[in-house]
Amino acid sequence: KRLAMEAAIEYVTTSKIGHSPDTPIWVIYPFAEPLAFTVNFPTWSREKYPVNQRAHVPSQIPVMNVLQDYLPKTYAYEELLKDPLPPGVDSTRLEQYLTDEEFEKVFKMPRTDFMSIPAWKAERIKQDV
């Protein structure tokens, strides 16, 4: 998802066909498509939606608002142990969200050393932590 949003932004900002850099880019979710989107498809019909999906309110959200949830952030170790995880956090790579200092405290080694060990060994260390 993140790459798709970044590609859309890059397309608009580097477009040679006259897009303004302030061209709005929206994230539109299935079954909540706004009229400004569906009007471009003459055969679009909400009647084709599954019955349990027809009640969604049409919406469009600026891509930058959604993209913020996917940008790398740092979190305290305790926050990464909570369920549910913060939005956009990859549960298979929790170590990447720690500051370097906290990483060393938790893993008892610098991040650079951790990155240089074989994947199987890194996974075992992560499970032990």
Side-chain angles (χ1 to χ4, degrees):
K1 290 181 181 183
R2 180 181 59 93
L3 291 176
M5 290 184 275
E6 289 172 348
I9 293 168
E10 182 180 347
Y11 175 78
V12 168
T13 56
T14 61
S15 174
K16 305 253 188 283
I17 60 171
H19 286 101
S20 160
D22 354 322
T23 299
I25 306 170
W26 303 103
V27 174
I28 297 171
Y29 292 101
F31 310 113
E33 298 88 351
L35 182 60
F37 177 82
T38 60
V39 74
N40 295 295
F41 304 94
T43 60
W44 198 282
S45 170
R46 289 196 178 280
E47 297 304 314
K48 295 179 182 176
Y49 290 178
V51 175
N52 63 339
Q53 300 291 342
R54 292 183 189 165
H56 285 135
V57 175
S59 64
Q60 56 192 33
I61 303 165
V63 72
M64 290 308 289
N65 292 10
V66 178
L67 190 55
Q68 293 301 316
D69 292 339
Y70 291 90
L71 297 177
K73 299 175 184 159
T74 58
Y75 295 97
Y77 178 65
E78 293 74 29
E79 289 179 273
L80 295 172
L81 296 176
K82 293 180 183 174
D83 189 24
L85 290 170
V89 171
D90 179 353
S91 63
T92 64
R93 307 221 30 209
L94 295 176
E95 71 279 3
Q96 74 183 6
Y97 302 100
L98 296 170
T99 63
D100 288 335
E101 299 79 35
E102 194 155 26
F103 185 95
E104 283 193 42
K105 190 167 79 175
V106 171
F107 287 92
K108 310 222 183 330
M109 71 175 75
R111 190 183 305 266
T112 53
D113 291 355
F114 182 81
M115 300 308 250
S116 67
I117 62 178
W120 66 266
K121 193 171 184 180
E123 285 302 313
R124 194 169 283 164
I125 292 170
K126 284 167 44 174
Q127 288 172 0
D128 291 343
V129 171

PDB file of all heavy atoms in Angstrom, residues 82-95:
ATOM      1  N   LYS A  82       2.466  -4.298  22.969  1.00  0.00           N
ATOM      2  CA  LYS A  82       1.016  -4.186  23.150  1.00  0.00           C
ATOM      3  C   LYS A  82       0.261  -4.782  21.973  1.00  0.00           C
ATOM      4  O   LYS A  82       0.783  -4.867  20.862  1.00  0.00           O
ATOM      5  CB  LYS A  82       0.607  -2.727  23.322  1.00  0.00           C
ATOM      6  CG  LYS A  82       1.104  -2.099  24.602  1.00  0.00           C
ATOM      7  CD  LYS A  82       0.651  -0.669  24.695  1.00  0.00           C
ATOM      8  CE  LYS A  82       1.203  -0.015  25.956  1.00  0.00           C
ATOM      9  NZ  LYS A  82       0.898   1.416  25.984  1.00  0.00           N
ATOM     10  N   ASP A  83      -0.967  -5.171  22.242  1.00  0.00           N
ATOM     11  CA  ASP A  83      -1.853  -5.666  21.193  1.00  0.00           C
ATOM     12  C   ASP A  83      -3.111  -4.823  21.232  1.00  0.00           C
ATOM     13  O   ASP A  83      -3.732  -4.730  22.297  1.00  0.00           O
ATOM     14  CB  ASP A  83      -2.179  -7.149  21.450  1.00  0.00           C
ATOM     15  CG  ASP A  83      -2.923  -7.786  20.297  1.00  0.00           C
ATOM     16  OD1 ASP A  83      -2.790  -7.274  19.165  1.00  0.00           O
ATOM     17  OD2 ASP A  83      -3.618  -8.784  20.525  1.00  0.00           O
ATOM     18  N   PRO A  84      -3.501  -4.157  20.184  1.00  0.00           N
ATOM     19  CA  PRO A  84      -2.907  -4.196  18.848  1.00  0.00           C
ATOM     20  C   PRO A  84      -1.696  -3.283  18.755  1.00  0.00           C
ATOM     21  O   PRO A  84      -1.501  -2.379  19.567  1.00  0.00           O
ATOM     22  CB  PRO A  84      -4.030  -3.657  17.957  1.00  0.00           C
ATOM     23  CG  PRO A  84      -4.795  -2.729  18.830  1.00  0.00           C
ATOM     24  CD  PRO A  84      -4.703  -3.327  20.223  1.00  0.00           C
ATOM     25  N   LEU A  85      -0.898  -3.530  17.702  1.00  0.00           N
ATOM     26  CA  LEU A  85       0.274  -2.697  17.441  1.00  0.00           C
ATOM     27  C   LEU A  85      -0.162  -1.343  16.890  1.00  0.00           C
ATOM     28  O   LEU A  85      -1.271  -1.219  16.369  1.00  0.00           O
ATOM     29  CB  LEU A  85       1.161  -3.397  16.403  1.00  0.00           C
ATOM     30  CG  LEU A  85       1.880  -4.645  16.880  1.00  0.00           C
ATOM     31  CD1 LEU A  85       2.512  -5.375  15.699  1.00  0.00           C
ATOM     32  CD2 LEU A  85       2.934  -4.290  17.912  1.00  0.00           C
ATOM     33  N   PRO A  86       0.706  -0.347  16.978  1.00  0.00           N
ATOM     34  CA  PRO A  86       0.375   0.950  16.362  1.00  0.00           C
ATOM     35  C   PRO A  86       0.136   0.782  14.857  1.00  0.00           C
ATOM     36  O   PRO A  86       0.690  -0.134  14.242  1.00  0.00           O
ATOM     37  CB  PRO A  86       1.635   1.793  16.625  1.00  0.00           C
ATOM     38  CG  PRO A  86       2.297   1.148  17.795  1.00  0.00           C
ATOM     39  CD  PRO A  86       1.986  -0.311  17.684  1.00  0.00           C
ATOM     40  N   PRO A  87      -0.663   1.649  14.245  1.00  0.00           N
ATOM     41  CA  PRO A  87      -0.952   1.536  12.818  1.00  0.00           C
ATOM     42  C   PRO A  87       0.311   1.572  11.966  1.00  0.00           C
ATOM     43  O   PRO A  87       1.221   2.342  12.236  1.00  0.00           O
ATOM     44  CB  PRO A  87      -1.815   2.762  12.513  1.00  0.00           C
ATOM     45  CG  PRO A  87      -2.279   3.266  13.818  1.00  0.00           C
ATOM     46  CD  PRO A  87      -1.305   2.805  14.846  1.00  0.00           C
ATOM     47  N   GLY A  88       0.361   0.688  10.968  1.00  0.00           N
ATOM     48  CA  GLY A  88       1.480   0.669  10.035  1.00  0.00           C
ATOM     49  C   GLY A  88       2.694  -0.103  10.506  1.00  0.00           C
ATOM     50  O   GLY A  88       3.671  -0.234   9.771  1.00  0.00           O
ATOM     51  N   VAL A  89       2.668  -0.661  11.705  1.00  0.00           N
ATOM     52  CA  VAL A  89       3.812  -1.401  12.233  1.00  0.00           C
ATOM     53  C   VAL A  89       3.785  -2.828  11.696  1.00  0.00           C
ATOM     54  O   VAL A  89       2.783  -3.524  11.777  1.00  0.00           O
ATOM     55  CB  VAL A  89       3.818  -1.394  13.776  1.00  0.00           C
ATOM     56  CG1 VAL A  89       4.869  -2.349  14.329  1.00  0.00           C
ATOM     57  CG2 VAL A  89       4.049   0.004  14.298  1.00  0.00           C
ATOM     58  N   ASP A  90       4.918  -3.250  11.126  1.00  0.00           N
ATOM     59  CA  ASP A  90       5.068  -4.611  10.598  1.00  0.00           C
ATOM     60  C   ASP A  90       5.434  -5.529  11.768  1.00  0.00           C
ATOM     61  O   ASP A  90       6.519  -5.427  12.329  1.00  0.00           O
ATOM     62  CB  ASP A  90       6.155  -4.621   9.528  1.00  0.00           C
ATOM     63  CG  ASP A  90       6.413  -5.985   8.923  1.00  0.00           C
ATOM     64  OD1 ASP A  90       5.843  -6.991   9.400  1.00  0.00           O
ATOM     65  OD2 ASP A  90       7.203  -6.042   7.953  1.00  0.00           O
ATOM     66  N   SER A  91       4.539  -6.437  12.090  1.00  0.00           N
ATOM     67  CA  SER A  91       4.745  -7.297  13.266  1.00  0.00           C
ATOM     68  C   SER A  91       5.912  -8.266  13.102  1.00  0.00           C
ATOM     69  O   SER A  91       6.399  -8.819  14.083  1.00  0.00           O
ATOM     70  CB  SER A  91       3.469  -8.083  13.575  1.00  0.00           C
ATOM     71  OG  SER A  91       3.163  -8.950  12.501  1.00  0.00           O
ATOM     72  N   THR A  92       6.390  -8.473  11.884  1.00  0.00           N
ATOM     73  CA  THR A  92       7.518  -9.381  11.666  1.00  0.00           C
ATOM     74  C   THR A  92       8.862  -8.661  11.763  1.00  0.00           C
ATOM     75  O   THR A  92       9.902  -9.308  11.722  1.00  0.00           O
ATOM     76  CB  THR A  92       7.420 -10.063  10.291  1.00  0.00           C
ATOM     77  OG1 THR A  92       7.533  -9.064   9.269  1.00  0.00           O
ATOM     78  CG2 THR A  92       6.121 -10.825  10.148  1.00  0.00           C
ATOM     79  N   ARG A  93       8.840  -7.311  11.890  1.00  0.00           N
ATOM     80  CA  ARG A  93      10.078  -6.543  11.933  1.00  0.00           C
ATOM     81  C   ARG A  93      10.038  -5.495  13.037  1.00  0.00           C
ATOM     82  O   ARG A  93      10.395  -4.345  12.835  1.00  0.00           O
ATOM     83  CB  ARG A  93      10.304  -5.874  10.576  1.00  0.00           C
ATOM     84  CG  ARG A  93      10.240  -6.885   9.441  1.00  0.00           C
ATOM     85  CD  ARG A  93      11.224  -6.759   8.368  1.00  0.00           C
ATOM     86  NE  ARG A  93      12.474  -6.206   8.803  1.00  0.00           N
ATOM     87  CZ  ARG A  93      13.254  -5.508   8.004  1.00  0.00           C
ATOM     88  NH1 ARG A  93      12.910  -5.278   6.788  1.00  0.00           N
ATOM     89  NH2 ARG A  93      14.389  -5.042   8.441  1.00  0.00           N
ATOM     90  N   LEU A  94       9.589  -5.877  14.197  1.00  0.00           N
ATOM     91  CA  LEU A  94       9.436  -4.926  15.299  1.00  0.00           C
ATOM     92  C   LEU A  94      10.744  -4.234  15.676  1.00  0.00           C
ATOM     93  O   LEU A  94      10.737  -3.075  16.097  1.00  0.00           O
ATOM     94  CB  LEU A  94       8.854  -5.628  16.529  1.00  0.00           C
ATOM     95  CG  LEU A  94       7.432  -6.176  16.375  1.00  0.00           C
ATOM     96  CD1 LEU A  94       7.020  -6.920  17.634  1.00  0.00           C
ATOM     97  CD2 LEU A  94       6.462  -5.059  16.052  1.00  0.00           C
ATOM     98  N   GLU A  95      11.861  -4.917  15.484  1.00  0.00           N
ATOM     99  CA  GLU A  95      13.157  -4.343  15.857  1.00  0.00           C
ATOM    100  C   GLU A  95      13.472  -3.049  15.093  1.00  0.00           C
ATOM    101  O   GLU A  95      14.184  -2.193  15.579  1.00  0.00           O
ATOM    102  CB  GLU A  95      14.283  -5.370  15.656  1.00  0.00           C
ATOM    103  CG  GLU A  95      14.626  -5.701  14.216  1.00  0.00           C
ATOM    104  CD  GLU A  95      13.700  -6.705  13.541  1.00  0.00           C
ATOM    105  OE1 GLU A  95      12.714  -7.143  14.153  1.00  0.00           O
ATOM    106  OE2 GLU A  95      13.973  -7.043  12.380  1.00  0.00           O
TER     107      GLU A  95
END
